Amino acid sequence: MMPVRVLVADDQELVRSALRVMIERRDGLSVVGEAADGQEAVAAAFALRPDVVLMDVRMPGLTGVEATGRILRHWPHGDPRPRVLMLTTFDVDEYVHASLRAGASGFLLKNSSSDQLAEAIRTVAAGEAALAPTVTRRLIGTFTTIPEVLLAEPRSGAGPRAPGRTGRLDALTARESEVLILVARGLSNAQIARSLGLSEAGVKSRVNRILTRLGLENRVQAAILAYEAGLVEGQDRDGPSAT
């Protein structure tokens, strides 16, 4: 298998160097480039076409949030687009919420271990969200309080309260709705497969169809929509982890 190609974007050179070392020590991962700010990250992503962009949330000039939106919205090469994994110092950060709305596939704390970093990169590269179920619930629970001003160049229809948003759920089959609910609860493809008696490949195919039919970027946005539509109720938000 081809290695997962990673672009590292952070305004601190020492952080970039440390991340490069951590990533390149892992089998199946390689760093194809670095960027010192958001503008460089956009240009490097377009030129290098990485599988995953490891993006610092806060950078001078063009922020990681803005860069994420530009990369995913203006991607010039057609699908697949890169997955964006945000890096942040804080586990509750308003810019992280905005990043997820912009299309990022997850976030990772900068003090995470090398094992956690490698696993998160592989997870988003495989099309899943790099968020623990409990973290997913917390993010979704506060998602609708994020000020619109944080969303530089918001993607059309990407917000959870866009007009006619929940009506799109009518396009889903009954089985796809079941899958969507389990995605919103934070389950992985393997866990959903076991819960519904499906193959893991079948779950992945259904998740991809859900995202396409709803016009969403990733699983996190699908989970947010499910919560907004009332498919997942309070007990699911606050109940025990699904892992």
Side-chain angles (χ1 to χ4, degrees):
M1 295 179 62
M2 296 292 292
V4 176
R5 304 169 69 254
V6 182
L7 170 65
V8 177
D10 194 288
D11 61 326
Q12 299 183 47
E13 184 176 359
L14 287 177
V15 173
R16 295 198 307 274
S17 297
L19 290 171
R20 176 184 280 273
V21 170
M22 292 170 68
I23 292 169
E24 293 192 331
R25 284 179 175 174
R26 297 289 171 153
D27 292 337
L29 303 179
S30 68
V31 175
V32 296
E34 298 180 13
D37 58 41
Q39 195 68 50
E40 287 187 11
V42 174
F46 288 172
L48 299 173
R49 302 175 69 170
D51 301 308
V52 175
V53 179
L54 196 57
M55 181 83 75
D56 187 17
V57 170
R58 303 187 183 192
M59 293 186 287
L62 194 69
T63 69
V65 176
E66 295 169 315
T68 296
R70 291 190 185 184
I71 290 170
L72 297 177
R73 188 171 51 256
H74 301 300
W75 185 245
H77 305 297
D79 290 332
R81 288 173 288 179
R83 306 285 180 174
V84 179
L85 177 61
M86 307 302 297
L87 283 171
T88 180
T89 306
F90 308 103
D91 65 347
V92 179
D93 187 328
E94 60 189 8
Y95 289 93
V96 173
H97 299 273
S99 301
L100 295 176
R101 180 175 277 175
S105 295
F107 80 95
L108 191 68
L109 298 180
K110 285 190 174 181
N111 62 357
S112 298
S113 69
S114 58
D115 287 343
Q116 292 170 326
L117 173 65
E119 180 62 23
I121 291 172
R122 293 189 180 105
T123 297
V124 298
E128 299 196 29
L131 297 167
T134 53
V135 176
T136 302
R137 284 195 291 271
R138 188 175 74 242
L139 286 171
I140 291 171
T142 58
F143 191 91
T144 58
T145 67
I146 302 307
E148 291 293 329
V149 70
L150 292 178
L151 303 177
E153 297 185 287
R155 178 176 177 267
S156 175
R161 294 190 183 277
R165 191 72 174 163
T166 57
R168 295 187 182 181
L169 295 176
D170 295 338
L172 302 182
T173 66
R175 180 62 93 183
E176 287 167 351
S177 294
E178 289 179 318
V179 171
L180 176 59
I181 289 170
L182 296 183
V183 167
R185 290 174 178 167
L187 274 67
S188 68
N189 284 353
Q191 291 169 326
I192 294 172
R194 289 195 296 270
S195 178
L196 298 180
L198 301 171
S199 69
E200 195 167 341
V203 172
K204 183 176 182 180
S205 176
R206 285 177 170 85
V207 170
N208 288 337
R209 285 202 300 270
I210 289 168
L211 297 181
T212 299
R213 290 181 179 182
L214 299 181
L216 303 174
E217 299 283 0
N218 54 50
R219 298 166 73 95
V220 178
Q221 291 182 348
I224 290 163
L225 178 57
Y227 275 79
E228 287 292 297
L231 293 182
V232 185
E233 300 298 338
Q235 66 269 23
D236 296 308
R237 295 173 189 248
D238 302 321
S241 170
T243 54

